[in-house]
Amino acid sequence: IRAGRVGLLAPAGGTGGRFGGYGVPESDVRRQKALAPVLRVAERMLCSLDIRLANALWWRSELGARLPLAVMAGPTNVSAIAGWHSQQVRTFGARTCDVYQQHGTYRLDAESLSTVHVGGAWRWVDHVLRGPDGTPLLKPPGNLGALASMAISGLYRRWRHDGVDVLVLANGDDAGFRLDPRVVGHLLAHDLDAVVLGVPDGTPGGAFRGGGVICEVEREAGWRVAVVEKVAAPNEPLADTLFSTNQLYL
């Protein structure tokens, strides 16, 4: 970490799903889980990205390290995240993180897609929802493509040039994430591709299952550890089951 080999990623490209209510525009801060000021810290109301930045700043101060932090924005919140970043620059007097944008997926007209097509060539582009000026409307696909979008933006190449060879990801709204040097050391000492942090099913009457089950799956090259997006059967013993926190060390 002190040598600048570790970089932090906070994917915040989604719209928060139902968060804030469907009556709130997707571009509204109240709809953005990573930006909503819902956390009280020392009598101040902060958002998850404030906490994530604070963790990075602590390590920079503690070790005198560079420790870059990047926030991935999406089409509906790139302006809001840019505004948040500008506020941090005004507060700390310097650039505190990088912001890159995720490329969205096209919004499709469900009604027209379900209409029986008669005659002529069927074209999926005819079902793309568009704005008044004809521009296709985009929907951010959550945190999918965080690494690909980082590469497309040129940020990945710059970080690699600067010596970063370990990426640490956690959801942008994960205010509980803290960079753990023990996990970084484990990743490097054992020459692993990735470390996925999991939590046991310890919730009375129900499990923490939001991130999927960590288990082994059979692939062509043999058995590999993977996160499977499924929920165990209600009566299935879960004592040894781990559920992904979506905190990844790569």
Side-chain angles (χ1 to χ4, degrees), residues 9 89 121 147 154 237 244-245:
L9 292 185
V89 172
L147 295 178
S244 173
T245 63

Side-chain angles (χ1 to χ4, degrees), residues 20-224:
Y22 288 120
V24 178
E26 290 180 338
S27 58
D28 193 298
V29 172
R30 294 172 295 174
R31 187 74 181 267
Q32 304 292 332
K33 288 190 285 187
L35 290 172
V38 295
L39 303 168
R40 185 181 299 278
V41 180
E43 301 306 314
R44 296 174 56 201
M45 297 306 296
L46 303 178
C47 68
S48 296
L49 289 183
D50 293 329
I51 307 298
R52 298 292 293 279
L53 175 59
N55 184 232
L57 293 175
W58 186 89
W59 279 106
R60 292 172 189 173
S61 175
E62 185 75 5
L63 298 180
R66 189 170 54 87
L67 189 60
L69 166 67
V71 178
M72 184 189 74
T76 62
N77 67 5
V78 62
S79 296
I81 288 181
W84 169 84
H85 182 225
S86 296
Q87 178 60 48
Q88 307 310 315
V89 172
R90 290 192 293 270
T91 300
F92 296 101
R95 185 180 182 88
T96 56
C97 67
D98 294 301
V99 176
Y100 68 98
Q101 184 173 346
Q102 177 189 45
H103 296 272
T105 57
Y106 293 116
R107 293 178 182 271
L108 300 178
D109 187 336
E111 184 176 348
S112 68
L113 280 173
S114 61
T115 302
V116 177
H117 181 73
V118 179
W122 184 90
R123 303 189 312 165
W124 68 269
V125 293
D126 294 332
H127 304 278
V128 174
L129 290 173
R130 300 175 182 271
D133 63 351
T135 302
L137 300 180
L138 300 178
K139 169 72 174 178
N143 292 338
L144 297 176
L147 295 178
S149 296
M150 186 185 187
I152 292 172
S153 72
L155 183 59
Y156 176 80
R157 183 173 181 271
R158 175 156 64 85
W159 279 21
R160 289 288 290 155
H161 182 268
D162 291 340
V164 174
D165 57 10
V166 174
L167 294 178
V168 183
L169 294 82
N171 292 349
D173 61 336
D174 186 352
F177 168 81
R178 301 292 183 271
L179 174 62
D180 193 332
R182 298 171 300 177
V183 182
V184 176
H186 183 80
L187 175 77
L188 297 176
H190 296 277
D191 193 26
L192 300 174
D193 293 324
V195 175
V196 181
L197 271 63
V199 293
D201 176 25
T203 308
F208 173 85
R209 304 174 181 178
V213 180
I214 301 175
C215 60
E216 288 188 329
V217 295
E218 189 174 8
R219 301 283 174 83
E220 292 181 1
W223 288 87
R224 298 287 300 275

